[in-house]
Amino acid sequence: MPVQSLPVRDASVQFRLLQQYLVLLKKYPILTKSVTSGILSALGNLLSQVLEARKKAKNGAVVSEIDTTGAARYAIYGLFITGPVSHYFYQLMEVWMPTTDPYCIIKRLLLDRLFFAPGFLLLFYFVMTLLEGKGWGDFEKKMRGSYWTALKMNWKVWTPFQFVNINFVPVQFRVLFANMIALFWYAYLASVRK
């Protein structure tokens, strides 16, 4: 059955955008989540660059131009990795740990924090190294230099958000919820990986 968007009179722009997003989410769930992830990942990188430029300017240092290729790398990562991987992870979590399981709340959180988060962060470091056109030595250097710090920060920052996300947010909105938090998380990762 085709899904159609119905016009809403006198609705705000935000409401109309949300309505269109919901239509696209229902019609093209993976594509919608992937495009949203790509856009918000790029915005997170741009946010990091703007914050870094402000900090440099405040300290009297020379401010470089916005690195559009950096934002493009984050967009590519969000589009091809974050969106699809997160979609399938949340879908599988529903199957593996249904809400009928009395311990599902803790099991879901442990699965996400102890397995998904470290693996996904590792994947982030690896893919970003490839997108930067660098080799294995650079990957190892970045892993040794900042992976553990970033993972500990991930556990600190993401755990409360993921607890809410995987236990109380409807499954079709989990990628969007995580992407909204990731907007700021990617700003942090962009700065820590340097």
Side-chain angles (χ1 to χ4, degrees), residues 163-177:
F163 176 79
V164 170
N165 192 21
I166 60 183
N167 290 301
F168 302 108
V169 174
V171 70
Q172 69 269 26
F173 299 119
R174 287 183 190 160
V175 175
L176 178 62
F177 181 88

Side-chain angles (χ1 to χ4, degrees), residues 123-176:
L123 183 63
F124 172 82
Y125 272 70
F126 182 72
V127 171
M128 282 298 166
T129 301
L130 291 177
L131 291 174
E132 290 167 352
K134 297 180 180 173
W136 186 257
D138 290 309
F139 171 70
E140 286 179 326
K141 183 179 175 187
K142 291 217 178 187
M143 288 294 292
R144 275 191 239 105
S146 65
Y147 176 81
W148 180 240
T149 302
L151 182 59
K152 288 188 292 186
M153 185 58 78
N154 179 297
W155 286 336
K156 288 177 188 174
V157 171
W158 278 94
T159 299
F161 293 112
Q162 281 300 85
F163 176 79
V164 170
N165 192 21
I166 60 183
N167 290 301
F168 302 108
V169 174
V171 70
Q172 69 269 26
F173 299 119
R174 287 183 190 160
V175 175
L176 178 62

